[in-house]
Amino acid sequence: MAMSGMRGLSVFISDIRNCQNKEQERLRVDKELGNIRNRFKNEKVGYIVTSCMLNENHDFLRLIINCVRNDIIGRNETFQCLALTMVGNIGGREFAESLAPDVQKLLISSSCRPLVRKKAALCLLRLYRKNPDVVNVDGWSDRMTQLLDERDLGVLTAVMSLLVALVSKNYDAYWGCLPKCVRILERLSRNQDIPQDYMYYGIPSPWLQVKTMRALQYFPTIEDPNIRRSLFEVLQRILMGTDIVKNVNKNNASHAVLFEALALVMHLDAEKEMMSQCVALLGKFIAVREPNIRYLGLENMTRMLMVIDVQDIIKKHQAQIITSLKDPDISIRRRALDLLYGMCDVTNAKDIVEELLQYLSTADFAMCEELALKAAILAEKFAPDLSWYVDVILQLIDKAGDFVSDDIWYRVVQFVTNNDDLQPYAAVKAREYLDKPALHETMVKVSAYILGEYSHLLARRPGCSPKEIFSVLHEKLPTVSISTIAILLSTYAKILMHTQPPDPELQDHIWAIFNKYESCIDAEIQQRAVEYFTLSKKGVALMDILAEMPKFPERQSALIKKAEDTEIDTAEQSAIKLRAQQQQHTSNALVVTDQRPANRSLPVKVPSINNNAEANTADRGLTEVNGTLSRVDPQSATPSADLLSDLLGPLAIEGPPSAAAPDDQNLISGLEGVSNSSDALALAPLEEQSNSVQPIGNIAERFRALCLKDSGVLYEDPYIQIGVKAEWQAHHGRLVLFLGNKNTSPLVSVQALILPPSHLKMELSLVPETIPPRAQVQCPLEVVNLRPSRDVAVLDFSYKFGTIMVNVKLRLPAVLNKFLQPISVAAEEFFPQWRSLSGPPLKLQEVVRGVKPLSLPEMANLFNSFQLMVTPGLDPNPNNLVASTTFYSESTRAMLCLIRVETDPSDRTQLRMTVASGDPLLTFELKEFIKEQLVSIPTPSPMPALAPPQVQPTIPATGATDPGAILAGLL
Amino acid sequence: MIRFILLQNRQGKTRLAKYYVPLEESEKHKVEYEVHRLVVNRDPKFTNFVEFRTHKIIYRRYAGLFFSMCVDITDNELAYLECIHLFVEILDHFFSNVCELDLVFNFHKVYLILDEFILAGELQETSKKAIIERMGELEKQE
């Protein structure tokens, strides 16, 4: 093959050689160029050259958009293909804007060959990635659903890639595609009518299987039980049926499918059994020899940690994972490090961090920085006690000083400054390190800082007199850089200040040094030297000016932020990350499923506090704070809110809240059964206004999510996170409140009061008055439901942080639907029951208007989510919906409830609802409850809770009869 | 999504480079150099995956040639690894026993095959038969 392509060339070369003179040679070359031109004289060459030579930012491309468009809409298939390929590979934003509709037309055209359509699908994908607005969701989602019926697997593969991109940004518009995807997956996994060309080593297109499962991971859940069941059957078969075989390619292909299936199972929150199957598989994989599989086992275990609570099982593999940390392949070592980092908690932090420290001495350069950062973060997050944390960081600096970023030592200084108990310990340690030979410069910095501040606490120990400390530090000065000298100068000034009565010899020595540096070439050093020299002559005034550094304001750890910020650049946002983010908003199961009683950790995803910028500047300020006085002290530069709240605090606390508090209670207990559902929506804002502490996330939104789930975050602000985990059984409930202190200093005067409505008996166990730094305490709360009611219990929670007093009133998710248990009732039972409960007050009917327009399946999902089990097909009219459930309370015991909803297909905003049960109060409450869920609630704006509390008194007057209207009015 | 595909020999000569993300010429050279350095010294017993900046290189060695694909870190590694193998099988079929020289002298055909196989950084067609038939069509057109 190669030789035949070369004949022309050898002829050409011999011709050239035979040329007599330059002129002949030139003619021959021209002729050859002509030949070449003739051979490629069509548009094809134009396109090939364009796509090879130019990238999407080239100006030339803007000029040819019209030509390209003509080829796309033209009839010539060859040109269509060329144009689509070029746009698909290098098309930019401008192409997206002008070509998307034409490409869409080609994709759905019935007259084009599959060849053109699959190119159109991927070309559209490119354009969509460049500018998502070019695909208009309205019409297109139905088209996508139809496209998934495609028989040609090439087109289907391309369409599936397009779908992944579409659903990754907006799954809501593409629910219709979900059943189709499951069907495709079933077809592939059962090998039903798959053409031979699409079999790859006996596996029906592994790529299409992988893509399809990827698309499914972007849908938050699958509600339809039938679809869910079919999907789980497929996944079960993949999990069980994948064996290790000899053929490498077959093995890879089948495991590609298996790993994607694992990811999908994790995403779907499968039953416990299936989950443990997954963990077992991964446990097997991380122990195999085959490097690729081991790598993927480690990687997927890390991902698994992000979504579900499997730490305990994974811990069993700790030893195996540590072995992989020492693997010769850096790819595997990295994965092992990530996994160890992810699986670390209070129970194993010591082991893991020590393992990392040990490994640090032998690790290669490529990994050291990451290792150091991760060890520092783990030590900070899970320190069983803070002295251990200080030990770890100092060891880290000692062993790998070059890889310890400034952030790490700033952070340790911050901890030490904020914790009085820690200061003598840190000073002793710093002093010990100074005796070591060959000290890393970072160690000099951190020891100098700490000893400058706290060495006076050690004054009585041997070797710790001001003079001795000074001389051991001063020994290091000749070898360090300018930035360290600056810190040393500040330390000298501090030592001088602490030496009382003054030691004239030391004083002279230090003054001489200041004198010397007054003429330093570096302005910063010069300034410090001049200022310290002058100040130190002022005697007593020096004491004030150089007094101990005040506590740092709490802020997000710059380290954790740094670790989180490592950007990942992916075409589609990772499904797992999206999910983790959603969890953070709604449940954060990771936080609250942790059951260890003495858990001092706070495995909280660190919230994004919006003053990052300030935090950064403040951090940077640290190098200077110790000294130069002309500079703005970071303390005063940090949000003045603290100061303000200090000054204004008493006013705010004694003012509006106390006046408003009775209102709240009236609303809760007074207006029983009428408008309480709306109560606490407006409760939180009172506090937000009076305290300068802003909650993170939307309180109302969090409550709403918790009404449907049993664990999640109830409240969060920069200082505390309150999580809830609940278990319900019949009319009993057990809620556990997880109070997590996010700071490095304690929260004090913690108080939690429960304001229960009359139908709930609630008992809260003792809440400690102080929550230690970075600790989490658990407070169980027992609930008994006495009778049906929609009233809501409120938690009145307050704490003090520094001078800030925070008080919030939070609704607790012990709502009516928690005492429901879905029950399926067959037709032969249902109808007699329905008829026996005849008319009010046991059976109530109401026409509800202003319902949020939902399709029947959506409404069925909504009902199911509130434990009202919809039985399809029970009602002969397809527009009706019948549901049944059991309600538990002390007065009613287990009581069957039946619900029928008749919808009007021509007007989805109204419906007729009939509710029946054996208890009149229950019937009424349940009817109202369902109505509240159905009436149109506008999607909450970012801070809907900020409704001014003053509007409350007017509510009962305006719409006491219609809770829906009240709700709508409030939001 | 595939960011780029490189075919390089052991000496680091790039035989084919296809970029699905816009990079400047100088950046391309840097990438090619770095990727070669990254994969060439890895032990055959190591994984076929290696982190590269914020992405991942999936590579496989065939005789003296390294086929490297740069993909997102969230992508399915094994699926792309087999994608490389499928590409090699197609080349092998098309050139009947492909060797480095075929790729050098018929580079334009290799690009054509690649364009039928991958588009916009995503797999377009996974049927060997469909691609070989399409190449037949294209050759007839010339």
Side-chain angles (χ1 to χ4, degrees), chain A residues 118 198 200-201 299 335, chain B residues 49 51 56 82 89 125:
Chain A
K118 66 192 178 194
Y198 288 93
Y200 183 78
Y201 290 88
E299 182 178 64
R335 291 285 73 83
Chain B
F49 325 127
E51 269 150 60
K56 216 172 237 187
E82 281 320 288
E89 281 190 1
E125 180 58 79

Side-chain angles (χ1 to χ4, degrees), chain A residues 776-790:
Chain A
Q776 191 184 52
V777 294
Q778 302 185 5
C779 309
L781 170 65
E782 303 292 339
V783 185
V784 180
N785 187 20
L786 302 175
R787 60 174 181 277
S789 165
R790 285 165 300 130

Side-chain angles (χ1 to χ4, degrees), chain A residues 51 56 84-91 126, chain B residues 18-21 115 118-121:
Chain A
S51 20
E56 71 175 67
L84 287 171
T85 305
M86 191 208 73
V87 177
N89 285 339
I90 60 168
R126 166 97 183 190
Chain B
K18 185 82 182 172
Y19 292 87
Y20 298 97
V21 287
D115 279 346
I118 285 164
L119 181 61

Side-chain angles (χ1 to χ4, degrees), chain A residues 157-170:
Chain A
T157 306
V159 166
M160 199 57 85
S161 292
L162 175 62
L163 181 66
V164 169
L166 294 170
V167 293
S168 75
K169 288 213 170 62
N170 178 9

Side-chain angles (χ1 to χ4, degrees), chain A residues 766-841:
Chain A
L766 201 64
V767 177
E769 212 184 283
T770 308
I771 308 178
R774 310 191 73 78
Q776 191 184 52
V777 294
Q778 302 185 5
C779 309
L781 170 65
E782 303 292 339
V783 185
V784 180
N785 187 20
L786 302 175
R787 60 174 181 277
S789 165
R790 285 165 300 130
D791 298 356
V792 184
V794 170
L795 168 70
D796 182 347
F797 185 81
S798 54
Y799 66 87
K800 227 172 128 181
F801 176 75
T803 54
I804 312 166
M805 180 79 197
V806 181
N807 174 239
V808 282
K809 295 197 178 61
L810 304 160
R811 284 180 296 171
L812 288 171
V815 284
L816 185 110
N817 62 304
K818 301 285 185 185
F819 302 103
L820 296 176
Q821 192 73 51
I823 181 171
S824 110
V825 179
E828 54 271 22
E829 285 174 67
F830 186 91
F831 290 110
Q833 283 278 0
W834 184 255
R835 268 179 241 117
S836 73
L837 299 164
S838 58

